[in-house]
Amino acid sequence: EWFSQSDESQILPRIPVMDNMALSVSSKKGKKTQDSTVQTSLPADESRHSTVEEESDEDEEFLLPESELEPSTRELDADGKLLGLDEEDSGEIDFSGFSGNLRRDDRDNSRDCWRISDGNNFRVRSKNFIYDKSKVPAGKPLMELVAVDWFKDVKRMDHVAKRKGCAVQVAAEKGLFSLAINLQVPGTTNYSMVFYFVSKKLIPNSLLQRFVDGDDEFRNSRFKLIPSVPKGSWIVRQSVGSTPCLLGKAVDITYIRGANYLEIDVDIGSSTVANGVLGLVCGVITTLVVDMAFLVQWQGHTYEELPERLIGAVRMSHIELSSAVVPVLED
């Protein structure tokens, strides 16, 4: 069995799988070598629909050995990165002029800052997901994260993209398209963490373009967050977890489509469960390192939407509530 997964030159016959063995697959986490042949024999269950993604993070075990893929369907290089995904315009973006009030710092152990998280830290549905439920490292995101703002005010902060001089306005001047994700944190003091992603253009008929120009129902059914807490207390890591979540199904979201941008205002306070987790996180936020990846989820309707691609990913390190500033928003 070990040679069948590691030696492409000699593929051994697969051992027949008994039906009752499949029922205990999820309880055997950590035995990936033994379980991979059991799990991949199961059909994809498309009947489950919930707030979180239909598959839990245990889907990472649905990875087939490369030797079992047909040559025409292999989408990974030797480093496990996706091939053929950067065929769109890969020209350099002029990052000058972009700024946010929260600083970027790429050094390890830095505090009260953000950095771009490696897309390969997150696993997304592969080109072959409909056949074997396999997931792969996400690779390079579709958009570039150029700035992060950390705001506070006595009221909720909506439509921050209209703020003069913000990254959205700078991107428009450069002829770029931008996506602003505004995570709104309620309380006696309201906070907003705003991530600004930019790209040179939207690829016509791409999933991202259809998401940007779609209606709210379509957007809510596709906008997904993958969280992770690489550093923090056990209770926080368990509470936040790493299971992908369809934000539009869990909390209230307002989409604002501008001429050259889309702003996504995510009201975290609209969910009792999310509010409870948030209260726990805010109490120890200075001790946490949090990773977040955003993507437009594949819904199983079109094979061409696979593999999934990240919009972008960010790491927030030891954020201080006191560093948030009051924004100047036009009425």
Side-chain angles (χ1 to χ4, degrees):
E1 182 66 14
W2 182 83
F3 279 106
S4 71
Q5 298 196 36
S6 59
D7 186 357
E8 294 188 8
S9 64
Q10 182 179 1
I11 303 176
L12 299 181
R14 302 183 66 174
I15 301 174
V17 179
M18 297 178 62
D19 292 340
N20 61 350
M21 291 175 65
L23 299 177
S24 61
V25 169
S26 61
S27 65
K28 297 181 180 180
K29 202 164 187 176
K31 299 181 181 180
K32 297 186 179 180
T33 303
Q34 176 180 345
D35 288 351
S36 61
T37 55
V38 176
Q39 291 177 326
T40 53
S41 67
L42 296 175
D45 182 2
E46 296 295 335
S47 62
R48 290 179 294 165
H49 298 278
S50 62
T51 297
V52 297
E53 184 189 16
E54 292 82 349
E55 295 77 30
S56 71
D57 53 353
E58 291 184 357
D59 279 341
E60 295 179 7
E61 296 185 343
F62 284 96
L63 287 174
L64 283 180
E66 185 179 355
S67 60
E68 296 185 13
L69 297 178
E70 296 179 5
S72 61
T73 61
R74 292 178 186 169
E75 296 295 327
L76 303 178
D77 63 12
D79 297 324
K81 298 181 180 180
L82 292 170
L83 296 173
L85 294 180
D86 296 319
E87 296 174 358
E88 61 266 23
D89 186 5
S90 59
E92 293 294 329
I93 292 177
D94 179 11
F95 292 108
S96 63
F98 291 110
S99 64
N101 69 289
L102 190 66
R103 68 187 180 90
R104 174 177 178 174
D105 194 330
D106 293 333
R107 297 174 298 176
D108 294 333
N109 301 321
S110 296
R111 303 184 63 84
D112 199 25
C113 61
W114 65 273
R115 64 189 291 184
I116 296 175
S117 184
D118 187 352
N120 287 317
N121 291 335
F122 304 90
R123 302 183 73 81
V124 297
R125 292 162 169 168
S126 72
K127 192 72 173 177
N128 304 292
F129 184 83
I130 58 177
Y131 303 115
D132 54 34
K133 297 184 76 70
S134 62
K135 290 190 174 184
V136 294
K140 183 180 179 182
L142 292 168
M143 305 184 75
E144 299 279 357
L145 179 61
V146 295
V148 176
D149 276 325
W150 181 218
F151 293 142
K152 65 180 178 182
D153 206 343
V154 295
K155 61 182 183 300
R156 193 178 69 189
M157 290 150 281
D158 300 321
H159 200 181
V160 295
K162 65 183 179 181
R163 189 172 58 91
K164 186 176 180 180
C166 75
V168 169
Q169 304 295 331
V170 174
E173 295 173 359
K174 296 176 178 290
L176 303 173
F177 177 82
S178 55
L179 184 70
I181 300 177
N182 177 13
L183 300 184
Q184 300 169 323
V185 182
T188 305
T189 300
N190 289 265
Y191 292 91
S192 273
M193 183 74 75
V194 189
F195 307 105
Y196 301 96
F197 299 94
V198 303
S199 65
K200 282 202 167 184
K201 62 181 180 180
L202 291 175
I203 307 300
N205 298 318
S206 66
L207 181 56
L208 181 59
Q209 181 270 319
R210 288 188 283 121
F211 172 80
V212 168
D213 294 327
D215 58 27
D216 287 357
E217 182 180 358
F218 177 82
R219 292 163 174 162
N220 284 337
S221 68
R222 297 297 189 103
F223 186 51
K224 185 164 70 174
L225 164 69
I226 306 177
S228 176
V229 182
K231 183 177 181 180
S233 67
W234 178 87
I235 190 170
V236 171
R237 286 187 281 112
Q238 292 298 312
S239 299
V240 174
S242 59
T243 302
C245 174
L246 281 172
L247 287 178
K249 301 293 185 181
V251 296
D252 293 338
I253 297 182
T254 301
Y255 301 92
I256 304 169
R257 180 69 165 98
N260 47 21
Y261 70 89
L262 175 68
E263 177 173 332
I264 304 176
D265 291 346
V266 183
D267 182 9
I268 299 177
S270 60
S271 165
T272 303
V273 174
N275 228 356
V277 174
L278 200 60
L280 176 65
V281 169
C282 286
V284 293
I285 190 171
T286 58
T287 68
L288 302 179
V289 174
V290 179
D291 284 345
M292 290 179 283
F294 303 94
L295 68 152
V296 181
Q297 174 176 273
W298 174 73
Q299 285 283 36
H301 304 306
T302 307
Y303 174 75
E304 286 72 22
E305 292 180 359
L306 291 173
E308 289 180 325
R309 298 282 308 274
L310 297 182
I311 294 173
V314 62
R315 168 167 290 189
M316 312 303 300
S317 299
H318 307 287
I319 300 300
E320 300 280 350
L321 295 178
S322 59
S323 65
V325 302
V326 178
V328 178
L329 297 175
E330 299 178 1
D331 295 331

